[in-house]
Amino acid sequence: MKTHFIKLLHYVPMGLLVLLFLSCERDLEDLKPAEFASNPEIFIDGFSAGLNYAAFGASVPTAFDLDKAVSYNNTAASMRFEVPDAGDPRGAYAGGSFFTEVPCDLSPYNALTFWAKATQAADIDVVGFGNDLGESKFQVTILGLAVNTNWKKYIIPIPDPSKLTAERGMFFYSEGPEDEKGYTFWIDELKFENLGTIAHKQFSILNGEENVETAFVGVTKSISGLSASVNLPDGVNQKVFAASAYFTFQSSDPSIATVDAAGQVAVVGGPGTAAITAKVGSEEAQGSLTLESMGNFEQAPVPDKAPEDVISLFSDTYSNVPVNYYNGYWAPYQTTLSADFEVNGDHILHYTDFNFVGVEFSSPTVDATAMTHLYMDIYLPNALPSNAQFKIELVNQGAAASAVYSKTITTDQAQQWISIDIPFADFNGLTGTDKLFQIIFVNENGAMSSFYADNIFFYDDGTPPPPLTEPDVPAPTPTVAAVNVTSVYSDAYTAIAGTDFYPNWGQATQVTEVEIQGNKMLKYAGLNYQGIQLAGGQNVSAMTHLHLDFWTANSTALNVFIISTGPVETGIALSVPTTGWVSIDIPLSQFAPVNLNDVIQFKFDGNGDIYLDNIYFRK
Amino acid sequence: MKTKNITFKLTFFAAWLLTISFFGCKPDDFQKLDERNWSLVWSDEFDAAAGTLPDAAKWAFDLGTGEGGWGNAELQNYINNPENISLDGEGNLVITALRNGNGFTSARIKTQGLFAQKYGRFEARLITPYGPGLWPAFWMLGENILTSPWPQCGEIDIMELRGQEPHIISGTIHGPGYSGGNPITKQYALVNNRFDADYHIYAVEWDENKIDFFVDDFLYQRIERNDPPGEWVYDQPFFMILNVAVGGNYVGFPTSETPFPQKMVVDYVRVYKEVK
């Protein structure tokens, strides 16, 4: 259902396909200066002369053809349009424009009409006229034209025929597959008419809404939502989207805001108010934009963090990471609207009717583990009735609840930029920052009505992160084949049975089994010494190494012993503390004179908190 | 206006499809009317200030939802709020149908008890509303309706229109044995134009022998005394009614696509007597 109708791909003069019909070109005998012929007929039984067809870029170039078998009212031929299936290698959709070489005077007519039917009920994405593959100055479009399997007459009203004295765009269309499936539709009797059966033309800008916005010198806006509506012969209104050239825009006070012919608004002065309205001919369009200019805009402070220390969500200073939206319009309780603006090249988020609003950046999520702070600038443009509570919720994927920070904003802080600079540690309930995906702003006590926001980013203030006190990831998964392993403790292998990991040798060490990301490991808390009692003497003489993964943040001494009956024991010192997991493979020869035919125990001694995993003999 | 019997509806529509008539512009023999000398006896030009209700000396209100939607399953609630009925200050009475949530409000006024006349010319110049489910009308009922209930009192519909066909109006009489879905009626259609686009003059000229129906002084229907299959009940005074109904058996329901508000704009209502 995508519509790409910009690029010209194939350009076929229709004169090659069809016989001569009425022409838009002037006849010599009635030549008059600066006046074009007004042939209303585009396709009746064939094409009018001088008509060209061009398929739009990335569309199926052969989607359009003449059909002599199917036509409205059994005439000689109709126009057939074959919409491709999704994934068709020839193109993603059917689309193109019919246009004349020499402009036509369409001012005597008030509508483009045609008969259409399709092989199935469907909504044609785009149909209209005024697309000349160039400026398309007077383009008119209907979006989602419903067709079905019966021939029906369709009417596309001309917003202001007096403008169309030299038009080249006669008809254009664009339609993608319906539910991934292609289909065919036909159009016949395509012509301009002057209908007395359509009435009550109305025009709208901004979709007919009366918008009021706060603004500053330098703010630019575009007047969009331009449409015309005409009542059809069946009493129902048909809305068409109309190009800006049909409209004449005006400002009630050009010293406050100006508007150009294309509907581009610029706030140039203030404080003061200017209303932007429009007319088509002498008819007032519904809808207006009232700009309440506060005068010169006070920019938020320019951030001074180094770009490499920043993950930015919204800023003109840094490159922003992908953000799904800055306002999720979360139904049904959110009232917050967005009226974002740009002033002197600086983009500002503007939230109005503020109760709460969410910013989401989940594709992908943001890993802010290297960052230490959340920073943002906010500005409350209205006076505060009382001290406000601006609550910020930070959400990490997988967390049970959002982490919360509330900032009190005193009444004297209104109408100035406020820098909010929060260490992650100050977010209550923040369990991780590795998969951040939402920030939610909440008007906690309802004291604010709206706010601007700028420079929302995470940054690293340069202080090293506090050392971990426990592993954040499991030990590496062993890769030695199981047949070459005699395992004592590992999730990766079947261990020898009957091992006691917490024998009472009078030690102070507390042994627990902990699980990190689904992987089990042993934790020795407050080590003095600790044994592992095997079930009888184990013969590991066929093995060559003892493997061990260990992790400790606070140990300064750690030795591992193998013990055979006697007891005969040998200790090997391990290098501690570690940076992350350390995997070690100790040749069994280093444990001599321990009898490798009769290993009965392990022992660890030293100090600190130790994590152990993947204790096995291998060859 | 009344279509009491819903089972008549299908038959009625079918008949209408077959009998729709398009009249040309050229005068024909039918249009060679007898010379009449009409004398104005009653009129409302609606010239008072904007926002005022219609003159209470000339018009009374029908209010509420009527019994069974005024006998036709109409959806609107008639009220006498200036929002629904008032003068526009430019010489017009405006009756406005509004969509209020799931319901509709509109207005209906009548000369019952204030003015009625037997025979003569009754005319109004007005712009109709439009849109599926809109049902404007300029019509008359026998003044004896309280003692001779409808359809015995007689009904003369000078103009009514279905909003989904804004180019067609109907002129109709209902009487005993020919009422509801089975009246004597005729449509008049505009070619490449529609009645909501501009003012048109709707009139009947009525005497003891016939009732003639006109649009813009074009005679499109003559019903003579012997034409009705039942009794001729048009020898007594009738009063006039102006209303905009929404929904009902005659017109069907409005849809979500029906544009609201909808206005009937009445320039004047005039009644003449023949002076011999």
Side-chain angles (χ1 to χ4, degrees):
Chain A
M1 302 298 283
K2 302 245 172 169
T3 54
H4 322 264
F5 48 92
I6 307 302
K7 279 166 63 184
L8 171 64
L9 187 65
H10 285 261
Y11 183 127
V12 185
M14 294 312 309
L16 296 177
L17 297 177
V18 295
L19 295 172
L20 277 180
F21 217 77
L22 288 175
S23 171
C24 280
E25 295 176 49
R26 291 168 290 177
D27 293 329
L28 281 176
E29 52 263 38
D30 57 23
L31 186 66
K32 293 174 193 167
E35 229 174 70
F36 292 105
S38 58
N39 170 29
E41 297 183 341
I42 304 163
F43 184 99
I44 304 299
D45 294 322
F47 287 95
S48 52
L51 194 70
N52 299 287
Y53 175 69
F56 293 139
S59 74
V60 176
T62 56
F64 159 69
D65 205 349
L66 284 182
D67 192 332
K68 292 182 177 171
V70 176
S71 67
Y72 171 69
N73 221 6
N74 296 317
T75 52
S78 73
M79 305 160 75
R80 184 180 66 218
F81 301 91
E82 292 180 359
V83 182
D85 290 334
D88 189 317
R90 298 173 301 159
Y93 69 104
S97 181
F98 298 85
F99 60 100
T100 55
E101 279 301 311
V102 175
C104 285
D105 179 4
L106 298 177
S107 61
Y109 312 109
N110 66 3
L112 175 65
T113 70
F114 55 88
W115 290 78
K117 76 164 191 171
T119 51
Q120 64 175 65
D123 290 337
I124 301 177
D125 291 342
V126 178
V127 292
F129 60 85
N131 185 313
D132 59 10
L133 301 165
E135 189 185 5
S136 298
K137 188 175 179 185
F138 294 110
Q139 183 168 300
V140 168
T141 51
I142 291 177
L143 302 181
L145 185 76
V147 292
N148 62 33
T149 56
N150 300 314
W151 285 108
K152 184 185 167 190
K153 185 169 183 175
Y154 295 87
I155 297 171
I156 307 178
I158 302 176
D160 182 0
S162 71
K163 298 278 205 308
L164 301 188
T165 52
E167 179 57 53
R168 295 175 58 229
M170 296 293 113
F171 178 70
F172 74 101
Y173 72 100
S174 173
E175 167 65 332
E178 298 273 315
D179 295 328
E180 311 268 289
K181 299 293 184 202
Y183 72 102
T184 297
F185 65 92
W186 293 266
I187 286 177
D188 205 351
E189 310 288 301
L190 179 65
K191 62 187 174 190
F192 286 93
E193 290 191 76
N194 189 29
L195 296 174
T197 53
I198 60 175
H200 311 295
K201 200 178 283 181
Q202 293 181 312
F203 304 98
S204 293
I205 62 171
L206 301 163
N207 299 312
E209 291 168 8
E210 310 284 339
N211 293 342
V212 179
E213 292 180 13
T214 304
F216 300 91
V217 173
V219 165
T220 55
K221 288 271 173 185
S222 182
I223 302 292
S224 58
L226 308 180
S227 68
S229 165
V230 172
N231 195 257
L232 298 180
D234 62 0
V236 169
N237 286 341
Q238 174 67 59
K239 178 180 180 180
V240 298
F241 292 93
S244 60
Y246 286 103
F247 293 80
T248 308
F249 298 97
Q250 57 201 9
S251 168
S252 65
D253 188 345
S255 73
I256 302 295
T258 60
V259 59
D260 70 10
Q264 298 299 317
V265 178
V267 179
V268 295
T273 298
I276 309 298
T277 56
K279 284 183 173 180
V280 175
S282 59
E283 294 283 316
E284 287 280 353
Q286 296 178 344
S288 65
L289 173 63
T290 299
L291 291 163
E292 295 175 342
S293 172
M294 316 278 281
N296 290 321
F297 184 67
E298 183 192 344
Q299 309 275 152
V302 176
D304 58 359
K305 312 295 180 207
E308 62 269 24
D309 294 333
V310 167
I311 297 174
S312 177
L313 300 174
F314 183 86
S315 168
D316 291 290
T317 304
Y318 306 112
S319 298
N320 299 319
V321 297
V323 172
N324 307 49
Y325 51 73
Y326 293 102
N327 185 339
Y329 295 98
W330 289 338
Y333 300 114
Q334 182 183 328
T335 61
T336 311
L337 303 174
S338 277
D340 304 341
F341 57 90
E342 180 184 350
V343 51
N344 300 323
D346 188 11
H347 295 82
I348 307 290
L349 296 174
H350 180 195
Y351 296 105
T352 62
D353 301 304
F354 175 45
N355 64 342
F356 61 87
V357 64
V359 179
E360 185 164 299
F361 34 98
S362 62
S363 321
T365 59
V366 168
D367 180 354
T369 49
M371 303 289 123
T372 57
H373 287 66
L374 169 68
Y375 182 90
M376 66 184 295
D377 293 312
I378 65 170
Y379 185 106
L380 310 178
N382 302 313
L384 287 175
S386 59
N387 289 353
Q389 284 293 321
F390 187 75
K391 188 165 93 176
I392 303 172
E393 298 185 19
L394 202 49
V395 192
N396 199 47
Q397 205 167 69
S402 47
V404 175
Y405 176 85
S406 279
K407 180 167 179 70
T408 298
I409 296 168
T410 57
T411 53
D412 62 355
Q413 287 182 293
Q415 291 158 339
Q416 59 182 274
W417 284 102
I418 304 163
S419 294
I420 297 179
D421 191 356
I422 319 160
F424 285 150
D426 289 358
F427 275 95
N428 188 21
L430 191 65
T431 55
T433 56
D434 57 321
K435 288 184 175 174
L436 292 173
F437 76 104
Q438 277 180 352
I439 294 179
I440 304 162
F441 306 123
V442 182
N443 192 357
E444 185 70 354
N445 60 353
M448 294 167 278
S449 56
S450 67
F451 71 100
Y452 310 143
D454 198 1
N455 302 319
I456 307 174
F457 57 84
F458 305 111
Y459 74 95
D460 172 18
D461 73 348
T463 56
L468 295 174
T469 56
E470 64 174 49
D472 56 347
V473 293
T477 301
T479 56
V480 181
V483 293
N484 295 327
V485 168
T486 299
S487 177
V488 177
Y489 183 88
S490 173
D491 288 320
Y493 305 110
T494 303
I496 53 177
T499 305
D500 181 359
F501 291 100
Y502 203 4
N504 183 1
W505 293 355
Q507 75 275 27
T509 312
Q510 297 293 313
V511 179
T512 51
E513 188 174 50
V514 297
E515 191 171 309
I516 291 172
Q517 295 177 16
N519 190 292
K520 294 191 178 88
M521 61 199 67
L522 294 172
K523 177 183 181 183
Y524 291 176
L527 176 71
N528 58 345
Y529 60 90
Q530 177 61 44
I532 295 175
Q533 178 71 52
L534 301 177
Q538 300 291 323
N539 182 351
V540 296
S541 58
M543 299 293 152
T544 59
H545 291 79
L546 170 67
H547 178 91
L548 194 62
D549 292 329
F550 61 104
W551 189 107
T552 178
N554 59 0
S555 176
T556 57
L558 179 64
N559 301 296
V560 56
F561 295 79
I562 300 177
I563 305 171
S564 59
T565 304
V568 178
E569 65 174 43
T570 301
I572 303 288
L574 303 177
S575 178
V576 287
T578 64
T579 302
W581 284 98
V582 173
S583 297
I584 190 167
D585 287 86
I586 309 167
L588 290 177
S589 57
Q590 293 188 16
F591 289 100
V594 171
N595 179 2
L596 296 178
N597 294 324
D598 182 30
V599 175
I600 57 169
Q601 292 167 338
F602 288 84
K603 186 177 79 178
F604 294 85
D605 67 16
N607 57 35
D609 302 316
I610 317 292
Y611 294 82
L612 294 168
D613 203 358
N614 302 318
I615 305 168
Y616 58 83
F617 299 98
R618 71 158 176 91
K619 60 181 176 183
Chain B
M1 288 292 291
K2 302 256 182 180
T3 50
K4 288 267 185 179
N5 190 336
I6 297 175
T7 58
F8 276 116
K9 197 177 155 198
L10 284 175
T11 320
F12 178 72
F13 272 109
W16 167 79
L17 286 170
L18 293 174
T19 59
I20 182 166
S21 306
F22 293 88
F23 282 79
C25 299
K26 292 176 184 170
D28 52 27
D29 290 346
F30 194 53
Q31 298 292 317
K32 288 176 182 166
L33 300 169
D34 298 335
E35 289 281 323
R36 301 274 185 108
N37 187 12
W38 293 119
S39 170
L40 186 68
V41 293
W42 186 97
S43 75
D44 197 338
E45 304 293 324
F46 303 116
D47 283 336
T52 54
L53 293 174
D55 185 352
K58 292 178 177 174
W59 300 98
F61 286 98
D62 274 329
L63 297 173
T65 53
E67 187 183 329
W70 302 96
N72 299 305
E74 298 166 24
L75 300 177
Q76 79 290 330
N77 182 19
Y78 285 133
I79 53 181
N80 57 359
N81 185 326
E83 201 179 32
N84 292 97
I85 182 163
S86 58
L87 307 190
D88 68 358
E90 296 171 356
N92 298 298
L93 168 72
V94 181
I95 298 178
T96 305
L98 298 167
R99 190 199 294 272
N100 289 343
N102 294 326
F104 304 91
T105 58
S106 186
R108 166 161 150 167
I109 55 171
K110 60 187 179 181
T111 62
Q112 186 176 21
L114 299 168
F115 175 78
Q117 177 174 302
K118 181 174 78 170
Y119 307 147
R121 176 179 166 94
F122 298 76
E123 70 174 19
R125 182 172 186 264
L126 60 88
I127 304 172
T128 68
Y130 61 95
L134 268 294
W135 180 12
F138 170 45
W139 55 302
M140 300 199 291
L141 286 169
E143 180 82 334
N144 61 346
I145 188 168
L146 296 177
T147 53
S148 297
W150 188 90
Q152 187 64 38
C153 63
E155 173 180 330
I156 302 171
D157 300 332
I158 305 168
M159 183 287 297
E160 59 187 331
L161 171 141
R162 294 181 177 89
Q164 56 268 47
E165 297 164 341
H167 66 300
I168 299 172
I169 61 100
S170 299
T172 305
I173 60 171
H174 298 261
Y178 54 100
S179 67
N182 190 30
I184 299 177
T185 184
K186 197 160 196 176
Q187 279 75 35
Y188 178 83
L190 293 176
V191 176
N192 202 27
N193 204 341
R194 43 197 276 175
F195 288 106
D196 56 334
D198 206 346
Y199 288 103
H200 293 275
I201 297 171
Y202 305 91
V204 292
E205 292 181 2
W206 162 36
D207 61 27
E208 64 272 31
N209 297 316
K210 62 183 183 297
I211 305 171
D212 285 343
F213 289 79
F214 298 87
V215 172
D216 299 326
D217 287 332
F218 183 90
L219 173 64
Y220 70 95
Q221 174 173 227
R222 168 168 291 178
I223 301 172
E224 298 190 337
R225 190 176 185 94
N226 295 326
D227 288 343
E231 185 186 350
W232 175 267
V233 289
Y234 311 97
D235 292 321
Q236 34 127 355
F238 273 56
F239 65 87
M240 295 177 289
I241 306 171
L242 284 166
N243 70 305
V244 176
V246 180
N249 297 333
Y250 177 81
V251 69
F253 294 117
T255 71
S256 60
E257 301 283 301
T258 302
F260 279 92
Q262 280 298 325
K263 297 175 186 300
M264 180 160 78
V265 180
V266 187
D267 181 19
Y268 61 72
V269 178
R270 293 172 185 165
V271 182
Y272 303 82
K273 233 180 170 59
E274 188 178 6
V275 180
K276 305 224 171 168

